Amino acid sequence: MIAGAGCLAAMVAAQVASGVSADPVRLTGPVVGLMAAGAACFVASRRGPRRAAGAAGAVAAIGYAAEWAGVRTGVPFGRYTYTPVLRPQVGGVPVAVAVAWAGMGAASHAVAATLVPAGRTCTRMAVGAAALTAWDLFLDPQMLRQDLWRWADGGAYRGVPVSNYAGWLGVSALLMGVLESIVGWERDAPGSLVALYGVMAGMETLGFAAVFDPPDRLVALAGGSAMGLFAVPAAVAAFRRRPARSPQRAGRAAWRRGWRR
């Protein structure tokens, strides 16, 4: 948990630096790497390092496979290509992209597990897929303005086609199913992963609303509203499910109340 919190704090610092940097692309890799490392640490705190590594590796591999197929066939997202800007790349796909699927995939799955009871697997997959796809309302416009990838025919939402989001929902649902089988949260999904999702939602909203030059308040509203639909209720649910205080702490609190009387 301490390592994960450190990664999350470092990610926030790198994200802030990226937002005001003249060359934000050079910080994209560190931001994504810290996000994914923090998510893996939070999973490991409850399920151990082996299952955390297995979950991260499986999700990254599926995400990479979807991107590899996408740049060659247009399935499942639509026709697009990556530019040489974001490196390193393997098979025409930046490594950071696969890592990003793993980091935000874990956070989105924790959000779904917090909102949907265990046993309702299909509902969890649908909620988690929608939560992860909501993030792409920020991600695609941001990466397009940095010329990290290009759509062949453009699209209605800041140059992004609707097919992209249909593909995201499909791939994300597959990832949620994999995470459900490996991690299998019941009522113990880490609130830290929910916090990671919320931090990303807040920082992206602020970035598009006021930090990026030029700002884009349409993207800030669309992405912030979509991610907020999941981030806010998940944060409230996670707060209410905090472990009860230990008997020692409860006893000290009762003693202080009695002393005040």
Side-chain angles (χ1 to χ4, degrees):
M1 287 296 293
I2 293 174
C7 289
L8 181 57
M11 183 205 75
V12 171
Q15 187 86 310
V16 170
S18 173
V20 299
S21 172
D23 183 19
V25 175
R26 67 186 180 86
L27 291 171
T28 299
V31 169
V32 171
L34 288 165
M35 175 189 67
C41 287
F42 294 142
V43 174
S45 70
R46 298 288 177 85
R47 291 292 184 265
R50 289 187 178 180
R51 289 175 73 178
V59 173
I62 294 170
Y64 173 82
E67 300 285 352
W68 185 90
V71 297
R72 285 161 175 79
T73 68
V75 178
F77 307 109
R79 292 282 180 182
Y80 69 104
T81 57
Y82 285 99
T83 68
V85 175
L86 187 59
R87 293 186 175 276
Q89 297 187 3
V90 178
V93 177
V95 173
V97 172
V99 175
W101 279 104
M104 281 302 289
S108 300
H109 179 252
V111 166
T114 302
L115 295 174
V116 182
R120 297 173 60 184
T121 303
C122 291
T123 304
R124 275 193 176 185
M125 290 172 61
V127 171
L132 185 52
T133 302
W135 178 51
D136 196 48
L137 291 171
F138 284 127
L139 183 63
D140 243 279
Q142 184 176 356
M143 298 302 102
L144 281 173
R145 69 162 55 197
Q146 294 177 0
D147 196 33
L148 301 188
W149 60 68
R150 298 170 184 167
W151 290 99
D153 301 314
Y157 176 69
R158 291 298 187 257
V160 184
V162 174
S163 62
N164 172 66
Y165 297 103
W168 264 74
L169 281 170
V171 174
S172 298
L174 176 60
L175 298 184
M176 294 305 115
V178 170
L179 286 167
E180 186 73 10
S181 66
I182 297 175
V183 178
W185 303 122
E186 294 180 1
R187 293 181 62 87
D188 58 341
S192 48
L193 279 174
V194 175
L196 191 158
Y197 186 90
V199 166
M200 289 298 294
M203 294 195 68
E204 293 281 12
T205 302
L206 179 62
F208 273 100
V211 177
F212 299 156
D213 185 21
D216 191 331
R217 292 179 177 83
L218 171 63
V219 174
L221 178 62
S225 299
M227 291 191 74
L229 286 174
F230 302 97
V232 173
V236 171
F239 180 81
R240 289 176 175 173
R241 292 179 189 175
R242 289 178 306 165
R245 290 183 298 182
S246 67
Q248 294 82 1
R249 290 181 61 192
R252 288 196 295 269
W255 180 86
R256 284 195 295 269
R257 289 194 297 269
W259 184 83
R260 291 192 188 101
R261 295 194 186 99

